[in-house]
């Protein structure tokens, strides 16, 4: 498998995992099992889900930015430019 195909596969796997964690997390926090058979969200559940998804996405963005910053700093400290690999 070449590098580009591997990166695409990894990105798809990460996205799938993110989506699963988002759904599980926000569903368990916001949707009441007592009303699950209703088929529609009540206003409180909808607001909770909206806030939960927003916070989850914001947190993920912050984590990605921090990880990229740390990774960039590590590469610079090792004398490597971004995108270059030691041979």
């Amino acid at each position: 498998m070449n590098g580009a195909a591997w990166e695409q596969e990894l990105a798809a796997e990460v996205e799938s995992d993110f989506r699963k964690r988002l759904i599980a997390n926000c569903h368990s926090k916001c949707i009441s099992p007592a009303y699950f058979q209703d088929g529609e969200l009540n206003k409180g559940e909808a607001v909770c889900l909206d806030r939960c998804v927003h916070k989850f996405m914001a947190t993920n963005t912050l984590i990605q930015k921090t990880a990229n910053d740390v990774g960039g700093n590590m590469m610079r400290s090792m004398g490597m430019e971004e995108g270059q690999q030691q041979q």
Side-chain angles (χ1 to χ4, degrees), residues 10-22:
L10 180 61
E13 191 174 313
V14 168
E15 184 178 335
S16 176
D17 179 62
F18 175 80
R19 191 178 310 117
K20 287 176 188 175
R21 288 185 296 117
L22 171 69

Side-chain angles (χ1 to χ4, degrees), residues 1 5 7 16 38 44-45 49 59 65 76 81:
M1 181 181 296
E7 286 179 13
S16 176
D38 256 0
E45 290 170 330
L49 283 170
T59 301
K65 182 185 180 313
R76 281 189 290 281
E81 294 295 322

Side-chain angles (χ1 to χ4, degrees), residues 10-82:
L10 180 61
E13 191 174 313
V14 168
E15 184 178 335
S16 176
D17 179 62
F18 175 80
R19 191 178 310 117
K20 287 176 188 175
R21 288 185 296 117
L22 171 69
I23 291 168
N25 186 322
C26 293
H27 184 276
S28 67
K29 287 183 180 181
C30 298
I31 299 179
S32 170
Y35 301 108
F36 192 64
Q37 52 272 46
D38 256 0
E40 293 185 23
L41 299 174
N42 65 39
K43 184 171 177 125
E45 290 170 330
V47 169
C48 179
L49 283 170
D50 184 55
R51 288 180 180 163
C52 182
V53 168
H54 177 75
K55 288 178 183 179
F56 200 91
M57 299 286 285
T59 301
N60 187 63
T61 300
L62 179 62
I63 289 169
Q64 285 180 337
K65 182 185 180 313
T66 302
N68 288 338
D69 290 347
V70 169
N73 290 340
M74 287 176 63
M75 289 179 73
R76 281 189 290 281
S77 71
M78 293 178 3
M80 298 172 61
E81 294 295 322
E82 287 188 34

